[in-house]
Amino acid sequence: MLDAAALRGRLNGVRDRIARAADRSGRDPASVRLIAVSKTFPIEFIRAAADSGQTEFGENKVQEGLGKIQQTLSLLSLRWHLIGHLQHNKARKAATAFHIIHSIDSASLLQKVDEAAAAAGRPVEVLIQVDLAREPTKHGAPADAVPAIVELAASCRAVRLTGLMTLPPAADDPADARPHFAALRDLRDRLVAGGAEPLMLAELSMGMSHDFEVAVEEGATMVRVGSAIFGDRGAM
Ligand SMILES: *Cc1c(COP(=O)(O)O)cnc(C)c1O
């Protein structure tokens, strides 16, 4: 059941916490974008968040995201982020609807998305998902594969690379995520020092409901927050 007032309260609470974490670390709060992760939640939750001024939404599955994008076309200012793993055979569909894809994890996937975006005549922004912990179950490119993907992105026609994304191993203590967030920032800084175009690596997508403040302290420019805004997904 949607309680729009409670949702608005949680959304504003998350915004306040982002602003305070930015202040603490000497950053401009406006340099951090909040992506509201609406996966599993129905359209009325998205409308309620949009009514409270939220414009950026994240989904982790292509099909579910496409449905929601279709159903909210009248809300013209919304921007949709694909934050979950993207299979090659769904690259075309994803490139026709999402604005930003966070989960590019290989040169071949980047190429597929670029071809699809060019064919659709539509610019798509992408981030490279980096697997820093090297967990067997995780998606993402190993850090040593990132330079080649960045290089390929420089020659893409319709796709614009703007940064890196990571998803650290699940941990009870948010502080456990800090070294992973710092490692993503360090990787970015090393790539730029090595000659990569800074605008291609400006964004760091990191931090979720339980650790977004730590991520902001470590330089996140996009935080992907679901349950702290929409509530417990298990309860849906
Ligand atoms: C679900 C999801 C999130 C948000 O998770 P919460 O804990 O609900 O904030 C962020 N990033 C990715 C990749 C996700 O799949």
Side-chain angles (χ1 to χ4, degrees), residues 81-110:
H81 298 243
L82 179 65
I83 60 172
H85 178 60
L86 176 58
Q87 291 171 302
H88 281 65
N89 63 8
K90 295 199 175 130
R92 194 183 55 76
K93 274 191 169 166
T96 59
F98 287 93
H99 300 92
I100 307 186
I101 298 174
H102 291 229
S103 45
I104 299 298
D105 59 5
S106 68
S108 60
L109 181 61
L110 178 64

Side-chain angles (χ1 to χ4, degrees), residues 37 39 60 83-84 165 167 207-210 224-228 233:
V37 177
K39 65 189 187 193
N60 69 331
I83 60 172
M165 177 272 219
L167 183 61
M208 307 171 29
S209 288
H210 72 296
R224 311 178 306 266
V225 179
S227 49
R233 281 185 293 276

